[in-house]
Amino acid sequence: MNTKELFGMENPWEYVAAMYDPNNLECLYGDQNNYVCAGDCKVVDDYNQKVKDTSDEIITKIPAEPWWGNPLKARLIILSLNPGYVPEVNETLAKLLQTNEAVRRQLINYKAKTLRLEAEAFLPEEETEDGCPISCKDAVNILGDWYWVKMLRQLKEDVEKKNGQINEEVFYRQVALIEYCGYSSVTAKISLPLNEEGSYGFLKKLVSYISKKEDVRFLIMRDSYRWDRLLKEIECSDDKIWRRKPRSRSQYITPGNFENDVYKKIVESLACKGE
């Protein structure tokens, strides 16, 4: 994806994608990994020195996840804070997954594809490569602890009920997630001073480009203060923005997590525009 032609800036995450080597036996979790955008290296190093040995420390041993799916193709863009880090999943299970060459290869290649903005949907399709005991979709969900599958389950079911022509694959092509910070940590107290020269500058360009698409809506689920500031700075129209209930920390996209008729609007926006 030539992002420089689209909105005047090269995708800094392609630098990270180039590090995702399927021949590296520890590409999913390894002490030698440092999956950080070139423009973020100093910022991340300085930040980690300040919060060293705390749950706020940025984990660079695992693949970065600035987004899920393809924000350039989706209609509903979920806005959150940063990927979580669960040692039992992101370390223990990752070590197990990467011992299988076929699983390791298809998983890290998919994550590289996602960083390059070449993914087709929020989750890969069910197809299983030769010699692989599980599908890439299963591997992605295992490493993600099925978190977003759970957060989106009721929305998916309600959209499918609203429009019987929409199935799971169509639903996941319409949804994407963007994290304010693409690096993982145990706790979500990120105060990383991201700068315009690094991934934050690209984030603004990406969101600004998406905001100009007529049929796209943003759904703020975490870190509303920072997201509202960024959306205001890029002059995004307020009618393109939906928000979770104030004071809630839950990211379940369910009726009880939204005020007024926001949830109904989310369902209708996806059900009425299925492919």
Side-chain angles (χ1 to χ4, degrees):
M1 177 67 67
N2 192 329
T3 57
K4 193 163 188 178
E5 288 184 4
L6 282 181
F7 40 84
M9 184 176 181
E10 292 181 354
N11 178 2
W13 293 103
E14 291 193 15
Y15 172 83
V16 179
M19 299 183 204
Y20 290 178
D21 179 8
N23 295 315
N24 172 10
L25 303 184
E26 296 184 336
C27 60
L28 300 178
Y29 181 93
D31 290 334
Q32 301 306 309
N33 298 337
N34 189 35
Y35 294 140
V36 181
C37 291
D40 292 341
C41 286
K42 186 178 187 308
V43 171
V44 170
D45 286 346
D46 289 348
Y47 175 82
N48 275 348
Q49 284 299 315
K50 293 178 182 178
V51 299
K52 190 174 178 60
D53 299 325
T54 73
S55 60
D56 292 333
E57 190 170 355
I58 296 294
I59 310 297
T60 63
K61 301 175 181 181
I62 66 174
E65 292 184 332
W67 49 77
W68 277 49
N70 191 330
L72 295 178
K73 296 183 177 181
R75 294 190 177 102
L76 178 68
I77 312 296
I78 301 166
L79 303 178
S80 191
L81 176 53
N82 78 304
Y85 178 81
V86 180
E88 295 84 356
V89 175
N90 301 109
E91 179 178 352
T92 306
L93 270 179
K95 287 179 177 179
L96 178 62
L97 289 171
Q98 67 191 12
T99 61
N100 184 291
E101 181 180 358
V103 173
R104 181 183 72 247
R105 188 172 296 277
Q106 70 171 0
L107 186 47
I108 199 65
N109 284 341
Y110 177 76
K111 288 189 173 295
K113 184 178 181 179
T114 300
L115 288 190
R116 295 193 299 265
L117 289 166
E118 295 173 354
E120 293 297 326
F122 195 88
L123 292 172
E125 295 184 358
E126 290 283 6
E127 298 174 355
T128 303
E129 295 184 9
D130 290 343
C132 198
I134 58 175
S135 68
C136 187
K137 182 177 181 179
D138 285 336
V140 167
N141 282 326
I142 288 171
L143 207 52
D145 202 22
W146 282 275
Y147 180 83
W148 282 106
V149 169
K150 290 181 281 191
M151 299 301 107
L152 290 165
R153 180 173 290 129
Q154 183 167 347
L155 177 62
K156 180 175 72 67
E157 291 174 355
D158 289 341
V159 170
E160 289 171 350
K161 288 177 185 175
K162 185 80 174 176
N163 184 341
Q165 296 180 342
I166 292 180
N167 57 25
E168 183 171 294
E169 289 184 3
V170 173
F171 173 81
Y172 281 127
R173 284 199 293 269
Q174 297 188 83
V175 179
L177 162 76
I178 298 179
E179 304 278 14
Y180 189 83
C181 170
Y183 306 111
S184 297
S185 62
V186 174
T187 51
K189 297 179 181 178
I190 293 296
S191 56
L192 191 65
L194 300 173
N195 58 72
E196 299 284 341
E197 291 73 33
S199 60
Y200 182 70
F202 183 76
L203 173 69
K204 286 175 60 178
K205 292 281 189 180
L206 175 64
V207 174
S208 178
Y209 177 85
I210 295 169
S211 71
K212 295 175 174 59
K213 300 174 77 171
E214 185 176 348
D215 63 346
V216 169
R217 294 294 181 271
F218 295 104
L219 178 61
I220 302 176
M221 296 302 292
R222 285 267 171 91
D223 205 32
S224 60
Y225 171 76
R226 289 187 180 94
W227 278 118
D228 279 332
R229 183 178 59 188
L230 186 153
L231 291 168
K232 183 177 181 181
E233 190 174 339
I234 64 170
E235 300 180 345
C236 177
S237 172
D238 196 57
D239 62 6
K240 286 181 171 288
I241 306 168
W242 292 321
R243 295 173 176 83
R244 187 203 60 208
K245 273 183 179 178
R247 295 179 297 279
S248 172
R249 288 288 295 167
S250 168
Q251 296 200 93
Y252 280 98
I253 303 180
T254 56
N257 216 10
F258 298 92
E259 294 180 334
N260 303 320
D261 59 350
V262 169
Y263 182 77
K264 180 181 177 182
K265 289 179 180 178
I266 296 169
V267 172
E268 289 178 345
S269 71
L270 297 176
C272 294
K273 299 178 181 179
E275 296 176 7

